Amino acid sequence: MLSKILKKANKVQYANFATAKYRLAKDIPAGVETQHMNLFQAVNNALDIALQTDKTACLFGEDVKFGGVFRCSLGLNEKYGTDRVFNTPLCEQGIAAFGIGLATNGVTAIAEIQFGDYIFPAFDQIVNEAAKYRFRSGNQFDCGSLTIRTTWGAVGHGALYHSQSPEAYFAHTPGLKVVIPRDPIQCKGLLLASIRDKNPVIFFEPKALYRNAEADVPVMDYELDLHVADVIQEGTDITLIAWGTQVRVIQEAAKLAKEKLGVSCEVIDLQTIYPYDIDTLQKSVNKTGRCIISHEAPITCGVGSELAANIQEKCFLRLESPVKRVCGFDTPFPLVHEPIYLPDKWRVFDAIKKSVNY
Amino acid sequence: MIKNFRQVCRFALYQSALKTNSFQNLSKRAFCYVKHHKTFNDNEEIYTHQLSAASQPDTIPTFRVIDLQGSVLAPQYENIPDEILNKIFDTMVQVEEIDTILNMTQRQGKISFYMPSFGEQATTVGVGAALEFEDLVFPQYREQGTIIYRGYTVRDMLNQCIGNIHDLGKGRQMPVHYGSKALNFVTVSSPLTTQVPQASGAGYGYRLRGENKVAATYFGEGAASEGDWHAALNFAATLSCQTLFLCRNNKYAISTPVVDQYRGDGIAGKSIGYGIKTYRVDGNDALAVYHTVKEARNYIVTNKAPAFIEFMTYRIGDHSTSDHSVMYRTEDEISSWKSTNNPITRLGLYLKKSGRRVFDEAKDKEVRAAIKKDIIAALKEANEQKLPAWNTLFEDVYDQLTPNLKEQKEELRQHLNEYGEHYNLQKFASN
């Protein structure tokens, strides 16, 4: 089934399409041709388009050539050749640096780090080099055509080193953009926008959704705006903010809150973690007067802290209860205790209840 | 690996594409991914029934063309055009003068920091002469000889060291962090060795586009202990990158002597282990440096594979103006190199002995005096310039100002409006 879909997708000549740019997925007009894809197929489809529409684009990393351990690069080596879709030695700092060098030399570099948990050996190259390249050279040199894709988030049994959500480490780094999609439609549009953005982007793919999130994804070449938060569900009583897999959790909590408490939640997917869309968040919280931020990563110095502080500063007079963060605990990510570590819908529901009763 | 006729055809097509660089025109079928196939073969390894550890291979010899007195040891390598050889010598003298004066200038507090390249001029200037101008250089920081050979002026250097409005880097980095897009010299950054695997990537870009250029990257022998160095060589070898690795082995990383840095046969000994074409050369012999770089460069563009050169030299000066090197090495050691194996003296002796240049002591003094005068004038000019306007702080973090940066810029504008008197704003250019 999967290979059939891919084969069919591979037949499409994307170069015939001009890139369509939309602010949000909901702005894509109805009636465009779509194909049912899961998240890894949407990634594959975006990469296929990126490689086809940009003859200088390269895709590389550990085990990318045979299709990738999550199947994201399936068929691309066959289609574009080993010079453009290739394996690297097993070395994350090398992968990031190699990508920076390619980008400095005018090549569109799409690097894969197999798990977000293993991005730390490349931390120096990403933070000290990629992020600062343009600034430190006075815009003489840049590595803006670099995108680093990596997997992200809990997966049920990943324990310490196959579950991490490292976005906060990178959101503290001026010069980088950090993007996390929630479903196949967002994933394709945001990934294409990230690849074509003129700044280095870290694109985290929620691995729990690779096979679990499915949607009818437009076949065409389209991009979604970076820096735009998506209001998925409008509401009047409280604002819920999350990204990646956690968006589903807050959506479920919003449903529970409606059913059990009659509370109307506004659900927002942040999408671009940095630089983030404070205007949309501010507008929402000024309307609802209450706010909950939820993420899988540990609470202390997580991205939630940044959002809470900024919302507090911008919406002080409208806030009717404290901004609450429902996050992972300040422990390493556990194996058997994953179900009680994760900020699940009941913990978010409880926070909603306490917030509206404050 | 190749199993049937169809795959043989594809492989042949792929090979011909490699040779002609005509990937763009080639049918995609030629690239079909073939599963790796290599069955067990007992002859693949050489087995022994003697249990013993592998022994160290012989020490790699150091290539030398002229001796310490400037006499020719290998006449076949004298064939460098007079014009280039003279430019090499002149540039080496110029670099020495610039280093001397800027080192002093830092001591007088007129610039905040400096790093001289005393003793390593033959290496860096020789490389500058032997590379093609279009080759992209990824420097460490002690390679002013290369960028000066390419045309970076003492004014460019001082503008950068002071960080004024004429600095191409917009006053953002510490002194000696030079960079010039026009001169194909990537901007220096402080983290050691990060540039080395980047040069592997850039060298891959040249092969991908079928360009006969190389990405050349410098690093010291200390930097070769960083993890990035290992990444760089392994990537360049396995991915066939058009990358030239240039190691300045000057015996010290700040205070750390090479005996505390490695125990193998220098850095060249490690490079061979990665399957990279490796050369070791007398870094104080400009003729040997020039020919080695030419040959290595030629190897790279012909074979679409990386090459490595270890330059054996000595850091005569302090590590930087924040270092006092007699704390960890003797005056005697330094002066033994300075007096008996000085790259400028050696080349000068050769030029004199070979009759390729007529030296006139009085004229040489004049030349050095003129360089000195020019540097002092340039320093004065550079110091008189304004520093970049305050709002440029927010530029080039991204290609465009992001919303948070716009907000912060506005916040600073309002603050300076009210408290500007506390910030010496007249030093900065107006927006």
Side-chain angles (χ1 to χ4, degrees), chain A residues 61-63 87-95 114 118, chain B residues 231 234-235:
Chain A
E62 295 158 12
D63 305 303
N87 288 341
T88 65
L90 207 162
C91 178
E92 286 76 14
Q93 65 207 87
I95 293 169
Q114 206 161 72
Y118 306 133
Chain B
N234 201 23
F235 274 58

Side-chain angles (χ1 to χ4, degrees), chain A residues 41-220:
Chain A
Q41 290 166 330
V43 171
N44 184 277
N45 185 232
L47 294 173
D48 189 2
I49 293 173
L51 289 161
Q52 185 155 333
T53 52
D54 176 356
K55 299 293 176 207
T56 76
C58 284
L59 175 67
F60 53 93
E62 295 158 12
D63 305 303
V64 163
K65 190 168 154 185
F66 89 112
V69 297
F70 290 102
R71 318 315 290 141
C72 291
S73 52
L74 204 63
L76 299 177
N77 173 272
E78 293 166 10
K79 203 169 172 188
Y80 300 102
T82 298
D83 275 5
R84 294 183 60 200
V85 179
F86 53 92
N87 288 341
T88 65
L90 207 162
C91 178
E92 286 76 14
Q93 65 207 87
I95 293 169
F98 189 83
I100 293 169
L102 275 175
T104 306
N105 197 0
V107 174
T108 300
I110 311 166
E112 178 178 307
I113 301 287
Q114 206 161 72
F115 285 88
D117 311 64
Y118 306 133
I119 202 167
F120 300 111
F123 201 65
D124 183 40
Q125 284 287 348
I126 296 170
V127 170
N128 273 333
E129 293 292 314
K132 298 171 174 58
Y133 230 92
R134 190 192 297 275
F135 183 79
R136 75 184 185 206
S137 71
N139 201 23
Q140 294 190 87
F141 296 95
D142 70 80
C143 60
S145 59
L146 169 68
T147 304
I148 297 175
R149 295 174 40 240
T150 185
T151 65
W152 174 92
V155 70
H157 52 273
L160 287 80
Y161 306 112
H162 296 83
S163 308
Q164 291 181 57
S165 304
E167 64 270 22
Y169 294 104
F170 299 101
H172 196 55
T173 307
L176 291 179
K177 293 187 181 179
V178 181
V179 179
I180 308 178
R182 73 170 183 277
D183 87 354
I185 300 172
Q186 267 76 22
C187 185
K188 177 176 171 181
L190 290 171
L191 180 53
L192 278 168
S194 298
I195 290 168
R196 290 158 178 169
D197 190 84
K198 292 183 169 36
N199 302 283
V201 180
I202 302 184
F203 192 85
F204 288 110
E205 296 163 8
K207 57 186 164 305
L209 303 182
Y210 272 140
R211 288 165 192 271
N212 288 333
E214 294 180 24
D216 291 324
V217 179
V219 173
M220 64 182 177

Side-chain angles (χ1 to χ4, degrees), chain B residues 38-47:
Chain B
K38 205 171 176 184
T39 51
F40 174 69
N41 176 358
D42 202 35
N43 297 322
E44 224 174 73
E45 282 167 48
I46 303 162
Y47 294 98

Side-chain angles (χ1 to χ4, degrees), chain B residues 279-296:
Chain B
Y279 307 84
R280 175 176 282 160
V281 56
D282 182 344
N284 289 14
D285 174 349
L287 278 76
V289 167
Y290 181 86
H291 281 291
T292 309
V293 174
K294 278 275 179 207
E295 177 157 325

Side-chain angles (χ1 to χ4, degrees), chain A residues 300-311:
Chain A
T300 299
C301 293
V303 171
S305 318
E306 163 61 25
L307 299 182
N310 204 340
I311 287 166

Side-chain angles (χ1 to χ4, degrees), chain A residues 5 14 76 80 90 104 148 182 251 261-262 273 318 358:
Chain A
I5 290 174
Y14 300 103
L76 299 177
Y80 300 102
L90 207 162
T104 306
I148 297 175
R182 73 170 183 277
Q251 279 178 305
L261 309 169
I273 309 308
R318 279 291 299 124
Y358 187 83

Side-chain angles (χ1 to χ4, degrees), chain A residues 65 77 81 83 86 89 91 93 97-98 101-102 105 124-125 129 133 135-137 140 175-176 199 274 314, chain B residues 23 33 168 172-173 179-181 187 189 194 197-198 201-202 204 209 227-228 238 393 395-396 398-399 404 407:
Chain A
K65 190 168 154 185
N77 173 272
D83 275 5
F86 53 92
C91 178
Q93 65 207 87
F98 189 83
L102 275 175
N105 197 0
D124 183 40
Q125 284 287 348
E129 293 292 314
Y133 230 92
F135 183 79
R136 75 184 185 206
S137 71
Q140 294 190 87
L176 291 179
N199 302 283
Y274 186 77
K314 297 241 160 53
Chain B
F23 282 106
Y33 176 54
L168 297 170
R172 290 170 182 153
Q173 289 212 82
S180 169
K181 181 88 173 169
T187 304
S189 74
T194 48
Q198 291 169 14
Y204 188 89
R209 292 199 297 262
D228 276 343
T238 54
L393 163 65
E395 289 166 9
D396 307 325
Y398 297 90
D399 65 324
N404 55 325
E407 189 182 313

